[in-house]
Amino acid sequence: MAGQTETRTEKLLSILKLQPVVPVLIVEDAKSAVGLAKALVAGGLKAIEITMRTPAALDAVKAVAAEVEGAHVGAGTILNGRDWDAAVKAGSTFIVSPGVTPGVLAAAKDGAVPLLPGAATASEVMTLREAGFDVMKFFPAEQAGGAAYLKALSSPLAGTLFCPTGGISLKNAKDYLSLPNVVCVGGSWVAPKDLVAAGDWAGITKLAAEAAGLKA
């Protein structure tokens, strides 16, 4: 079991380390998903999280998984085992949850697709560490204490890596990326609703390239 956990962790890290920023997308129309994903990949953001917050989300994951070369599409806002199964069936290569439940942990334990579980407190991080997770989503990042809070966790919870998400923008991304326990950040600013609605893929590629160029 330990070997399988290590393999899933390595798989997750190989995806998260592709870029400093993972786009977090709310897709209202599955038809726009392929163009949006291609624009993000063209800008250097290959790992893409599509949140399960709209009726179009699963179809969007399916389309990106099938049609966008170079994309690593994940499903976010996974709340239970049913959500997990549907997301994996749609073609998700990684799963993201805002927190954890016994159902999500059971699905993660039995499946081959890696989970990026959400945590917001030291106790939640410790609980996930005991469950075999060393890489987590820090959510909601800004509201839960921001970069200063994560920096404070780096010593007592050494060995834990985070992808902070929630309230992250181009302005504060470097505050997180400069921390030793941050592998990447998640953000929605690279795909503004107005550009997606207008089909301005060139504009999104430009934002993606800017995000991909962020360094600690």
Side-chain angles (χ1 to χ4, degrees):
M1 181 61 67
Q4 187 179 19
T5 299
E6 290 173 3
T7 300
R8 286 196 296 260
T9 300
E10 291 169 359
K11 187 184 298 183
L12 178 61
L13 281 174
S14 71
I15 294 172
L16 297 181
K17 288 181 177 180
L18 287 171
Q19 62 218 36
V21 180
V22 175
V24 180
L25 310 179
I26 298 176
V27 179
E28 301 288 351
D29 183 358
K31 294 179 181 178
S32 68
V34 170
L36 173 57
K38 286 182 176 178
L40 291 168
V41 171
L45 303 184
K46 297 180 179 180
I48 299 167
E49 176 189 339
I50 296 177
T51 60
M52 297 294 105
R53 303 183 193 181
T54 69
L58 280 176
D59 286 336
V61 169
K62 290 179 184 177
V64 173
E67 301 179 40
V68 184
E69 185 177 354
H72 298 265
V73 61
T77 320
I78 296 301
L79 305 180
N80 51 54
R82 295 186 304 277
D83 290 348
W84 179 290
D85 291 340
V88 171
K89 187 176 180 180
S92 299
T93 59
F94 64 101
I95 299 292
V96 186
S97 61
V100 290
T101 66
V104 170
L105 289 178
K109 182 179 179 180
D110 296 334
V113 176
L115 169 67
L116 180 65
T121 68
S123 294
E124 291 171 356
V125 173
M126 291 168 64
T127 299
L128 284 168
R129 287 292 296 266
E130 287 189 355
F133 293 91
D134 298 324
V135 186
M136 305 171 199
K137 168 180 177 174
F138 177 53
F139 176 83
E142 283 291 282
Q143 295 83 352
Y149 183 87
L150 267 189
K151 184 178 181 180
L153 293 183
S154 62
S155 181
L157 296 173
T160 310
L161 291 174
F162 296 94
C163 172
T165 303
I168 311 257
S169 67
L170 186 63
K171 293 181 180 180
N172 62 7
K174 282 191 174 184
D175 295 339
Y176 291 93
L177 292 169
S178 66
L179 300 177
N181 55 347
V182 169
V183 62
C184 64
V185 300
S188 59
W189 83 87
V190 293
K193 288 184 179 180
D194 56 339
L195 295 190
V196 174
D200 185 356
W201 307 137
I204 288 175
T205 293
K206 182 177 180 181
L207 291 175
E210 188 177 31
L214 284 173
K215 303 295 181 183

